[in-house]
Amino acid sequence: MSGYWPWWAGAAGLALITVNYALTTERSFGVSSAWDRVLHWRRERHLEQMDEEFTDERALADALAAATAEHFGTGLTTPAAPPAPYGTSASPLEADVEPAVREDAAVTSPGPAPLVTQAALLVSIFIGGLIAAVTSGRFRLRLDMGPGFRNVVTANPTTMIILLFAGGVLVGFGTRLAGGCSSGHGLNGCGRLRPVSLVATAVFFGTAVAVSFLLWKVI
């Protein structure tokens, strides 16, 4: 363990990363959501293109009015009136509606990060780990999980593959069930004191402690 950072340096580094990410993007940092979006990149790209079509609030309001008229048959097919010229007052209806729209827009949280940004995040994780392993002199290609895994779990290659596959499926299922992984809940959510993240992180690490105890002390 002498080649690793001390715990306080790792904690400070993670804190700087998460705080900087939250300040620059106004979003929560998470790896599992990035994997999900990149794996379903066609769907996510289609959603991004749809969002780009309605960046104009007036165009979005017109589209919603047309869809409502088509569905309910109310005859509201005419687009909303353009903004009043400078120096003229808006109609009472517009005066009542527009402030509410602005208030909603102010409290609306930003959407997910651009797809290319999350793809860059995953590539950067791989490249950063590779650079760290090479510069420390510990980089070596191997087809097993190391002596610790062989001694504690199994040394059989077939059993190892089955266990890793089953573990990966369970991790993915738990991540989707909890609405995030340890990076999203543990780093960002707990840092923002979100109750759901505090509970999820407690379950994550409580389960890890219990399983480690069973592996080392019981099994």
Side-chain angles (χ1 to χ4, degrees), residues 65-88:
T68 302
E70 180 181 358
H71 183 76
F72 294 102
T74 57
L76 298 176
T77 56
T78 58
Y86 179 76
T88 61

PDB file of all heavy atoms in Angstrom, residues 65-88:
ATOM      1  N   ALA A  65     -49.424  23.704 -27.505  1.00  0.00           N
ATOM      2  CA  ALA A  65     -50.787  24.127 -27.821  1.00  0.00           C
ATOM      3  C   ALA A  65     -51.356  23.338 -28.997  1.00  0.00           C
ATOM      4  O   ALA A  65     -52.515  22.911 -28.975  1.00  0.00           O
ATOM      5  CB  ALA A  65     -50.806  25.625 -28.126  1.00  0.00           C
ATOM      6  N   ALA A  66     -50.527  23.110 -30.014  1.00  0.00           N
ATOM      7  CA  ALA A  66     -50.997  22.350 -31.169  1.00  0.00           C
ATOM      8  C   ALA A  66     -51.284  20.903 -30.802  1.00  0.00           C
ATOM      9  O   ALA A  66     -52.283  20.322 -31.236  1.00  0.00           O
ATOM     10  CB  ALA A  66     -49.951  22.423 -32.284  1.00  0.00           C
ATOM     11  N   ALA A  67     -50.406  20.290 -29.970  1.00  0.00           N
ATOM     12  CA  ALA A  67     -50.640  18.907 -29.553  1.00  0.00           C
ATOM     13  C   ALA A  67     -51.886  18.795 -28.690  1.00  0.00           C
ATOM     14  O   ALA A  67     -52.662  17.831 -28.811  1.00  0.00           O
ATOM     15  CB  ALA A  67     -49.417  18.393 -28.796  1.00  0.00           C
ATOM     16  N   THR A  68     -52.126  19.774 -27.830  1.00  0.00           N
ATOM     17  CA  THR A  68     -53.333  19.761 -26.994  1.00  0.00           C
ATOM     18  C   THR A  68     -54.585  19.883 -27.850  1.00  0.00           C
ATOM     19  O   THR A  68     -55.583  19.178 -27.631  1.00  0.00           O
ATOM     20  CB  THR A  68     -53.275  20.913 -25.982  1.00  0.00           C
ATOM     21  OG1 THR A  68     -52.095  20.788 -25.186  1.00  0.00           O
ATOM     22  CG2 THR A  68     -54.504  20.896 -25.076  1.00  0.00           C
ATOM     23  N   ALA A  69     -54.541  20.779 -28.826  1.00  0.00           N
ATOM     24  CA  ALA A  69     -55.697  20.957 -29.704  1.00  0.00           C
ATOM     25  C   ALA A  69     -55.965  19.703 -30.518  1.00  0.00           C
ATOM     26  O   ALA A  69     -57.121  19.306 -30.715  1.00  0.00           O
ATOM     27  CB  ALA A  69     -55.452  22.149 -30.623  1.00  0.00           C
ATOM     28  N   GLU A  70     -54.907  19.047 -30.977  1.00  0.00           N
ATOM     29  CA  GLU A  70     -55.088  17.835 -31.779  1.00  0.00           C
ATOM     30  C   GLU A  70     -55.662  16.699 -30.949  1.00  0.00           C
ATOM     31  O   GLU A  70     -56.486  15.915 -31.407  1.00  0.00           O
ATOM     32  CB  GLU A  70     -53.746  17.424 -32.381  1.00  0.00           C
ATOM     33  CG  GLU A  70     -53.827  16.172 -33.247  1.00  0.00           C
ATOM     34  CD  GLU A  70     -52.472  15.787 -33.802  1.00  0.00           C
ATOM     35  OE1 GLU A  70     -51.487  16.510 -33.542  1.00  0.00           O
ATOM     36  OE2 GLU A  70     -52.400  14.753 -34.494  1.00  0.00           O
ATOM     37  N   HIS A  71     -55.235  16.619 -29.689  1.00  0.00           N
ATOM     38  CA  HIS A  71     -55.687  15.507 -28.844  1.00  0.00           C
ATOM     39  C   HIS A  71     -57.108  15.718 -28.321  1.00  0.00           C
ATOM     40  O   HIS A  71     -57.922  14.800 -28.334  1.00  0.00           O
ATOM     41  CB  HIS A  71     -54.718  15.334 -27.675  1.00  0.00           C
ATOM     42  CG  HIS A  71     -55.063  14.176 -26.783  1.00  0.00           C
ATOM     43  ND1 HIS A  71     -54.814  12.871 -27.142  1.00  0.00           N
ATOM     44  CD2 HIS A  71     -55.665  14.130 -25.560  1.00  0.00           C
ATOM     45  CE1 HIS A  71     -55.230  12.061 -26.180  1.00  0.00           C
ATOM     46  NE2 HIS A  71     -55.743  12.809 -25.197  1.00  0.00           N
ATOM     47  N   PHE A  72     -57.414  16.943 -27.871  1.00  0.00           N
ATOM     48  CA  PHE A  72     -58.708  17.207 -27.251  1.00  0.00           C
ATOM     49  C   PHE A  72     -59.714  17.820 -28.217  1.00  0.00           C
ATOM     50  O   PHE A  72     -60.887  17.961 -27.866  1.00  0.00           O
ATOM     51  CB  PHE A  72     -58.543  18.129 -26.035  1.00  0.00           C
ATOM     52  CG  PHE A  72     -57.774  17.497 -24.908  1.00  0.00           C
ATOM     53  CD1 PHE A  72     -56.439  17.817 -24.696  1.00  0.00           C
ATOM     54  CD2 PHE A  72     -58.384  16.579 -24.066  1.00  0.00           C
ATOM     55  CE1 PHE A  72     -55.730  17.237 -23.665  1.00  0.00           C
ATOM     56  CE2 PHE A  72     -57.670  15.992 -23.027  1.00  0.00           C
ATOM     57  CZ  PHE A  72     -56.346  16.324 -22.826  1.00  0.00           C
ATOM     58  N   GLY A  73     -59.254  18.229 -29.394  1.00  0.00           N
ATOM     59  CA  GLY A  73     -60.178  18.796 -30.367  1.00  0.00           C
ATOM     60  C   GLY A  73     -60.770  20.110 -29.933  1.00  0.00           C
ATOM     61  O   GLY A  73     -61.941  20.383 -30.192  1.00  0.00           O
ATOM     62  N   THR A  74     -59.995  20.942 -29.263  1.00  0.00           N
ATOM     63  CA  THR A  74     -60.523  22.214 -28.780  1.00  0.00           C
ATOM     64  C   THR A  74     -60.401  23.323 -29.806  1.00  0.00           C
ATOM     65  O   THR A  74     -60.871  24.437 -29.576  1.00  0.00           O
ATOM     66  CB  THR A  74     -59.777  22.633 -27.495  1.00  0.00           C
ATOM     67  OG1 THR A  74     -58.379  22.703 -27.784  1.00  0.00           O
ATOM     68  CG2 THR A  74     -60.028  21.630 -26.389  1.00  0.00           C
ATOM     69  N   GLY A  75     -59.712  23.034 -30.890  1.00  0.00           N
ATOM     70  CA  GLY A  75     -59.573  24.044 -31.932  1.00  0.00           C
ATOM     71  C   GLY A  75     -58.502  25.060 -31.654  1.00  0.00           C
ATOM     72  O   GLY A  75     -58.426  26.082 -32.325  1.00  0.00           O
ATOM     73  N   LEU A  76     -57.611  24.783 -30.676  1.00  0.00           N
ATOM     74  CA  LEU A  76     -56.543  25.724 -30.344  1.00  0.00           C
ATOM     75  C   LEU A  76     -55.334  25.449 -31.226  1.00  0.00           C
ATOM     76  O   LEU A  76     -54.266  25.071 -30.770  1.00  0.00           O
ATOM     77  CB  LEU A  76     -56.166  25.596 -28.861  1.00  0.00           C
ATOM     78  CG  LEU A  76     -57.275  25.915 -27.875  1.00  0.00           C
ATOM     79  CD1 LEU A  76     -56.791  25.653 -26.458  1.00  0.00           C
ATOM     80  CD2 LEU A  76     -57.734  27.355 -28.029  1.00  0.00           C
ATOM     81  N   THR A  77     -55.526  25.607 -32.534  1.00  0.00           N
ATOM     82  CA  THR A  77     -54.446  25.296 -33.464  1.00  0.00           C
ATOM     83  C   THR A  77     -53.639  26.516 -33.850  1.00  0.00           C
ATOM     84  O   THR A  77     -52.600  26.400 -34.482  1.00  0.00           O
ATOM     85  CB  THR A  77     -55.027  24.677 -34.751  1.00  0.00           C
ATOM     86  OG1 THR A  77     -56.001  25.583 -35.303  1.00  0.00           O
ATOM     87  CG2 THR A  77     -55.700  23.347 -34.437  1.00  0.00           C
ATOM     88  N   THR A  78     -54.105  27.704 -33.505  1.00  0.00           N
ATOM     89  CA  THR A  78     -53.367  28.908 -33.873  1.00  0.00           C
ATOM     90  C   THR A  78     -52.224  29.114 -32.907  1.00  0.00           C
ATOM     91  O   THR A  78     -52.362  28.900 -31.700  1.00  0.00           O
ATOM     92  CB  THR A  78     -54.294  30.143 -33.827  1.00  0.00           C
ATOM     93  OG1 THR A  78     -54.842  30.246 -32.513  1.00  0.00           O
ATOM     94  CG2 THR A  78     -55.413  29.986 -34.852  1.00  0.00           C
ATOM     95  N   PRO A  79     -51.062  29.486 -33.408  1.00  0.00           N
ATOM     96  CA  PRO A  79     -49.923  29.699 -32.509  1.00  0.00           C
ATOM     97  C   PRO A  79     -50.140  30.900 -31.610  1.00  0.00           C
ATOM     98  O   PRO A  79     -50.973  31.763 -31.875  1.00  0.00           O
ATOM     99  CB  PRO A  79     -48.750  29.922 -33.485  1.00  0.00           C
ATOM    100  CG  PRO A  79     -49.407  30.448 -34.725  1.00  0.00           C
ATOM    101  CD  PRO A  79     -50.740  29.752 -34.809  1.00  0.00           C
ATOM    102  N   ALA A  80     -49.389  30.936 -30.563  1.00  0.00           N
ATOM    103  CA  ALA A  80     -49.508  32.048 -29.620  1.00  0.00           C
ATOM    104  C   ALA A  80     -49.071  33.337 -30.291  1.00  0.00           C
ATOM    105  O   ALA A  80     -48.260  33.344 -31.214  1.00  0.00           O
ATOM    106  CB  ALA A  80     -48.644  31.784 -28.376  1.00  0.00           C
ATOM    107  N   ALA A  81     -49.630  34.447 -29.842  1.00  0.00           N
ATOM    108  CA  ALA A  81     -49.330  35.740 -30.439  1.00  0.00           C
ATOM    109  C   ALA A  81     -47.883  36.111 -30.169  1.00  0.00           C
ATOM    110  O   ALA A  81     -47.322  35.765 -29.125  1.00  0.00           O
ATOM    111  CB  ALA A  81     -50.247  36.807 -29.853  1.00  0.00           C
ATOM    112  N   PRO A  82     -47.237  36.804 -31.113  1.00  0.00           N
ATOM    113  CA  PRO A  82     -45.840  37.206 -30.896  1.00  0.00           C
ATOM    114  C   PRO A  82     -45.752  38.231 -29.776  1.00  0.00           C
ATOM    115  O   PRO A  82     -46.742  38.850 -29.389  1.00  0.00           O
ATOM    116  CB  PRO A  82     -45.446  37.799 -32.249  1.00  0.00           C
ATOM    117  CG  PRO A  82     -46.743  38.234 -32.869  1.00  0.00           C
ATOM    118  CD  PRO A  82     -47.766  37.244 -32.401  1.00  0.00           C
ATOM    119  N   PRO A  83     -44.570  38.408 -29.228  1.00  0.00           N
ATOM    120  CA  PRO A  83     -44.416  39.381 -28.140  1.00  0.00           C
ATOM    121  C   PRO A  83     -44.830  40.778 -28.587  1.00  0.00           C
ATOM    122  O   PRO A  83     -44.657  41.172 -29.738  1.00  0.00           O
ATOM    123  CB  PRO A  83     -42.922  39.307 -27.819  1.00  0.00           C
ATOM    124  CG  PRO A  83     -42.477  37.992 -28.349  1.00  0.00           C
ATOM    125  CD  PRO A  83     -43.334  37.705 -29.530  1.00  0.00           C
ATOM    126  N   ALA A  84     -45.397  41.532 -27.659  1.00  0.00           N
ATOM    127  CA  ALA A  84     -45.848  42.887 -27.978  1.00  0.00           C
ATOM    128  C   ALA A  84     -44.663  43.779 -28.273  1.00  0.00           C
ATOM    129  O   ALA A  84     -43.587  43.621 -27.675  1.00  0.00           O
ATOM    130  CB  ALA A  84     -46.645  43.447 -26.808  1.00  0.00           C
ATOM    131  N   PRO A  85     -44.804  44.731 -29.200  1.00  0.00           N
ATOM    132  CA  PRO A  85     -43.695  45.647 -29.508  1.00  0.00           C
ATOM    133  C   PRO A  85     -43.281  46.437 -28.280  1.00  0.00           C
ATOM    134  O   PRO A  85     -44.038  46.596 -27.319  1.00  0.00           O
ATOM    135  CB  PRO A  85     -44.273  46.546 -30.610  1.00  0.00           C
ATOM    136  CG  PRO A  85     -45.440  45.790 -31.171  1.00  0.00           C
ATOM    137  CD  PRO A  85     -45.979  44.974 -30.044  1.00  0.00           C
ATOM    138  N   TYR A  86     -42.085  46.967 -28.357  1.00  0.00           N
ATOM    139  CA  TYR A  86     -41.553  47.733 -27.225  1.00  0.00           C
ATOM    140  C   TYR A  86     -42.409  48.979 -26.992  1.00  0.00           C
ATOM    141  O   TYR A  86     -42.745  49.707 -27.923  1.00  0.00           O
ATOM    142  CB  TYR A  86     -40.108  48.149 -27.515  1.00  0.00           C
ATOM    143  CG  TYR A  86     -39.496  48.968 -26.410  1.00  0.00           C
ATOM    144  CD1 TYR A  86     -39.068  48.361 -25.238  1.00  0.00           C
ATOM    145  CD2 TYR A  86     -39.368  50.347 -26.540  1.00  0.00           C
ATOM    146  CE1 TYR A  86     -38.508  49.107 -24.224  1.00  0.00           C
ATOM    147  CE2 TYR A  86     -38.812  51.101 -25.530  1.00  0.00           C
ATOM    148  CZ  TYR A  86     -38.378  50.472 -24.370  1.00  0.00           C
ATOM    149  OH  TYR A  86     -37.831  51.208 -23.366  1.00  0.00           O
ATOM    150  N   GLY A  87     -42.765  49.180 -25.735  1.00  0.00           N
ATOM    151  CA  GLY A  87     -43.553  50.350 -25.385  1.00  0.00           C
ATOM    152  C   GLY A  87     -45.040  50.103 -25.322  1.00  0.00           C
ATOM    153  O   GLY A  87     -45.797  50.962 -24.894  1.00  0.00           O
ATOM    154  N   THR A  88     -45.489  48.895 -25.747  1.00  0.00           N
ATOM    155  CA  THR A  88     -46.910  48.564 -25.672  1.00  0.00           C
ATOM    156  C   THR A  88     -47.112  47.529 -24.598  1.00  0.00           C
ATOM    157  O   THR A  88     -46.232  46.720 -24.323  1.00  0.00           O
ATOM    158  CB  THR A  88     -47.422  48.032 -27.017  1.00  0.00           C
ATOM    159  OG1 THR A  88     -46.698  46.839 -27.340  1.00  0.00           O
ATOM    160  CG2 THR A  88     -47.226  49.069 -28.122  1.00  0.00           C
TER     161      THR A  88
END
